[in-house]
């Protein structure tokens, strides 16, 4: 059927993707510290011990014995000596994950809103889910980079530190704008004196990161993140700028971290129905499952529910950053306070 109108028919609104007609650049959202924490190079499996899944939570107690002090050695003792009374015990640290402390994000949409959208349903949900994962990754990166401030330890006592337990270096020669060529060697030697024995990485604010880039030692980031392994293979250690490290510690600060000195504990609640009879397991108007961030590998609880045509999607990550305790070396040991996470400060005054 046709109609004769007294006016022209209005052209319907044209809807296209913004990126079809404009050039946009991805946000420079590198998070090298957080990616390093959960990377295979750093991850030693502690998370699987604390939260093995199945809706259960456990506390892992790790025991250790500080090495004996040289002062405990006595010269010219009786030999043989049969009445030694010195007892050597051990210490322990408990690592526990509180399953109620988490970060979450979600969205909802009605059936009518979904029908009106000029985008395929599967495309819409895949994009929105990717948005949620990205936001959650960034939030966790900010949260756990802040946690690092309470975990860092000291340098060995034969490394000169300031009152804040920071190793101080110059990136410029005194009274000059010329680069100090000894800075890299000084940092490497401080790490050697402190006993760094594994692959190590320095997460830096702008000042030190710019120095390493200028001296062609810094590893750089790809659009998808950092390839820590390839940087280790090329340089022996990696140095990366991290805006969150800069925000928390300062533009002139950095943190030297040995791989294996940190662990990210994680927990997922979705497997709680495992092992239940089929009618109970499939009951309800929602599904819950575990997905992993493609960028960080962190497991997240995904819940999708349908309430009379309103679809709600929720994404939750339950994580905790932990590190080596500060008393793995005894008081009086020149290594006392060392846990292979230590701060660097740049001063060019």
């Amino acid at each position: 059927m046709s109609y004769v109108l007294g006016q022209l028919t209005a052209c319907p609104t044209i809807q296209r993707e913004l990126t079809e007609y404009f050039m946009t650049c991805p946000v420079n959202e590198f998070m090298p510290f957080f990616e390093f924490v959960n990377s295979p190079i750093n991850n030693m499996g502690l998370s699987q011990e604390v939260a093995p899944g199945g809706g259960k939570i456990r506390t892992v107690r790790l025991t250790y014995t500080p090495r004996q002090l040289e002062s405990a050695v006595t010269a010219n003792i009786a030999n043989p000596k049969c009445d030694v009374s010195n007892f050597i015990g051990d210490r322990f640290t408990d690592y526990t994950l509180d399953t109620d402390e988490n970060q979450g994000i979600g969205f909802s949409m009605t059936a009518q809103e979904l029908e009106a959208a000029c985008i395929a349903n599967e495309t819409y949900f895949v994009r929105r889910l990717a948005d949620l994962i990205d936001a959650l990754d960034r939030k966790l990166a900010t949260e756990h980079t802040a946690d690092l401030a309470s975990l860092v330890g000291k340098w060995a006592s034969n490394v000169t530190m300031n009152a804040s337990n920071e190793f101080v270096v110059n990136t410029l020669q005194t009274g000059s704008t010329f680069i100090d060529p000894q800075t890299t060697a000084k940092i490497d030697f401080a790490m050697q004196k402190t006993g760094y024995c594994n692959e190590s990485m320095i997460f830096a604010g702008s000042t030190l990161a710019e120095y390493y880039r200028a001296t062609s030692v810094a590893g750089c980031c790809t659009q998808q993140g950092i390839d820590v392994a390839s940087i280790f293979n090329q340089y022996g250690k990696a140095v990366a700028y991290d805006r969150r490290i800069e925000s928390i510690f300062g533009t002139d600060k950095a943190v030297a971290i040995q791989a294996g000195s940190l662990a990210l504990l994680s927990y997922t609640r979705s497997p709680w129905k495992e092992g239940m009879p089929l009618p109970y397991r499939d009951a309800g108007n929602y599904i819950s499952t575990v997905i992993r961030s493609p960028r960080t590998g962190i497991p997240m609880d995904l819940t999708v529910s349908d309430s009379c045509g309103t679809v709600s999607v929720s994404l939750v990550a339950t994580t905790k950053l932990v590190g080596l305790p500060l008393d793995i070396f005894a008081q009086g040991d020149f290594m006392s306070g060392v846990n292979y996470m230590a701060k660097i400060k740049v001063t060019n005054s």
Side-chain angles (χ1 to χ4, degrees):
M1 180 178 294
S2 62
Y3 295 91
V4 177
L5 301 177
Q7 61 185 26
L8 293 174
T9 302
C11 179
T13 301
I14 299 173
Q15 182 173 323
R16 296 287 188 271
E17 291 287 331
L18 177 71
T19 52
E20 292 182 23
Y21 297 99
F22 288 91
M23 176 63 70
T24 61
C25 296
V27 177
N28 184 0
E29 190 60 69
F30 302 128
M31 49 183 76
F33 167 70
F34 192 53
E35 292 180 41
F36 165 81
V37 168
N38 213 41
S39 68
I41 287 176
N42 181 69
N43 194 334
M44 305 291 285
L46 180 60
S47 180
Q48 288 78 8
E49 292 289 338
V50 175
K56 307 297 190 292
I57 182 170
R58 295 195 303 189
T59 296
V60 169
R61 173 167 291 183
L62 300 186
T63 62
Y64 50 97
T65 303
R67 67 178 188 170
Q68 295 298 298
L69 300 178
E70 291 183 31
S71 58
V73 180
T74 304
N76 303 322
I77 67 172
N79 186 16
K81 185 175 178 61
C82 303
D83 58 348
V84 177
S85 59
N86 181 39
F87 174 77
I88 299 176
D90 59 15
R91 300 176 181 177
F92 66 87
T93 294
D94 288 340
Y95 294 100
T96 303
L97 185 65
D98 187 339
T99 59
D100 290 329
E101 295 181 358
N102 57 50
Q103 299 286 352
I105 189 174
F107 73 94
S108 65
M109 171 171 272
T110 66
Q112 291 80 5
E113 291 169 334
L114 197 57
E115 290 169 352
C118 295
I119 184 173
N121 290 356
E122 61 272 19
T123 302
Y124 174 82
F125 279 103
V126 167
R127 289 182 180 178
R128 294 293 81 79
L129 184 57
D131 288 343
L132 299 187
I133 295 173
D134 172 66
L136 200 47
D137 272 342
R138 288 184 283 115
K139 178 65 175 181
L140 292 173
T142 299
E143 176 187 27
H144 294 315
T145 304
D147 292 339
L148 177 63
S150 64
L151 298 176
V152 292
K154 300 179 179 180
W155 297 91
S157 63
N158 59 343
V159 175
T160 301
M161 297 175 282
N162 63 15
S164 300
N165 299 319
E166 298 165 335
F167 178 56
V168 181
V169 295
N170 298 326
T171 56
L172 301 177
Q173 297 179 36
T174 303
S176 172
T177 58
F178 292 108
I179 287 177
D180 187 340
Q182 299 300 319
T183 302
T184 301
K186 290 176 181 177
I187 294 174
D188 286 348
F189 193 38
M191 294 172 69
Q192 179 183 339
K193 291 166 75 174
T194 306
Y196 282 66
C197 61
N198 199 357
E199 294 96 341
S200 302
M201 189 155 181
I202 297 175
F203 303 98
S206 297
T207 307
L208 193 62
E210 289 173 358
Y211 171 84
Y212 272 89
R213 182 172 293 276
T215 54
S216 301
V217 177
C220 63
C221 299
T222 66
Q223 202 60 49
Q224 292 73 33
I226 61 170
D227 187 349
V228 176
S230 67
I231 300 174
F232 282 142
N233 292 336
Q234 186 173 359
Y235 299 113
K237 71 172 177 301
V239 181
Y241 167 75
D242 192 309
R243 73 171 182 84
R244 293 174 173 84
I245 291 286
E246 183 171 69
S247 174
I248 293 164
F249 291 91
T251 301
D252 58 344
K253 303 293 180 61
V255 184
I257 300 176
Q258 178 176 279
S261 60
L262 285 165
L264 187 70
L265 311 183
S266 60
Y267 173 86
T268 55
R269 180 158 284 152
S270 292
W272 72 273
K273 284 189 176 182
E274 290 182 0
M276 295 181 68
L278 186 62
Y280 297 96
R281 190 171 67 246
D282 293 342
N285 64 340
Y286 74 96
I287 61 169
S288 62
T289 188
V290 177
I291 63 173
R292 287 186 177 270
S293 163
R295 180 170 189 175
T296 63
I298 293 172
M300 302 174 179
D301 283 309
L302 172 66
T303 303
V304 182
S305 63
D306 180 0
S307 178
C308 294
T310 298
V311 177
S312 297
V313 178
S314 171
L315 196 63
V316 176
T318 306
T319 57
K320 180 180 180 180
L321 184 67
V322 298
L324 282 171
L326 293 171
D327 61 350
I328 56 176
F329 296 101
Q331 289 290 329
D333 195 315
F334 82 100
M335 293 282 285
S336 178
V338 169
N339 66 350
Y340 306 106
M341 294 176 279
K343 294 180 289 185
I344 300 170
K345 177 181 172 63
V346 176
T347 177
N348 288 313
S349 56

